[in-house]
Every structure is written in C-alpha cells, then in structure tokens.
Amino acid sequence: MLMQCIDGLAIKPDGLYIDGTAGGAGHSREIAKRLTTGRLIAVDKDPDAIAVVTERLKDYPCVTVVQNDFRNIKMIAAELGIEKVDGILLDLGVS
C-alpha cells in the first residue's frame, strides 16, 4: 500500500509533511524524493528505528528526524515552529 499512501498525500514539492511512524523509512523516503523546497518531519519513538531512518534518509536535507511518539505530534510541531502541515502519515499496521 506504499504507493496508495503516497498518492493519497498528493505531495506538493514545496509542502510540509509528517511521517509519525517512520519505522524503516519506506514511506518517508518516498515523500522526501518528491520534495524540492518542502520539508519532512520523520518521527518514531523506537531508537533502533531512528537509527535506521537517519541512515536511510541522510541524503535528503529536507528531512528532520525526531525521536518521539506520534501522539506528541502537536508538541513536536510547536517545538519546530510548525503551525500547519500539508499532510500527516501514520502507518499503524504492525504496532
């Protein structure tokens, strides 16, 4: 369902997106590939997942990786000075 999720986000190259369950960075990478001047906040609470996401997305300067729980998304956005976003993705399949 990767491409269905990406298509559903209708990513704008200059948009701002949050992946609240970054995990293995599959969705995050597909979002980041479509951004030019936009920004992606990749969030995961698992430190092992954060290490994977950080490594897999190291070539995308538009990505900010945050270790936290997606339930704190409002606080995370406030701390980053974000008032609104163009899309949020939560992949709740396994968790």
Side-chain angles (χ1 to χ4, degrees):
M1 291 193 56
L2 172 64
M3 294 318 295
Q4 291 91 334
C5 291
I6 298 304
D7 291 345
L9 283 171
I11 298 166
K12 299 185 293 186
D14 62 345
L16 197 153
Y17 300 88
I18 297 176
D19 181 351
T21 51
H27 290 100
S28 288
R29 185 178 358 209
E30 289 300 322
I31 295 168
K33 286 191 323 190
R34 290 161 172 75
L35 298 176
T36 54
T37 58
R39 184 173 180 196
L40 169 66
I41 311 305
V43 179
D44 206 290
K45 66 180 178 179
D46 180 353
D48 293 329
I50 289 296
V52 169
V53 171
T54 300
E55 176 60 27
R56 291 184 180 168
L57 300 180
K58 68 182 178 193
D59 295 329
Y60 297 96
C62 61
V63 177
T64 301
V65 179
V66 176
Q67 184 178 350
N68 207 318
D69 193 301
F70 67 81
R71 68 180 166 174
N72 298 320
I73 229 166
K74 203 172 187 180
M75 178 196 69
I76 295 165
E79 287 177 356
L80 295 172
I82 297 168
E83 294 183 17
K84 64 180 184 170
V85 298
D86 295 293
I88 297 175
L89 175 72
L90 297 174
D91 181 357
L92 304 175
V94 176
S95 298

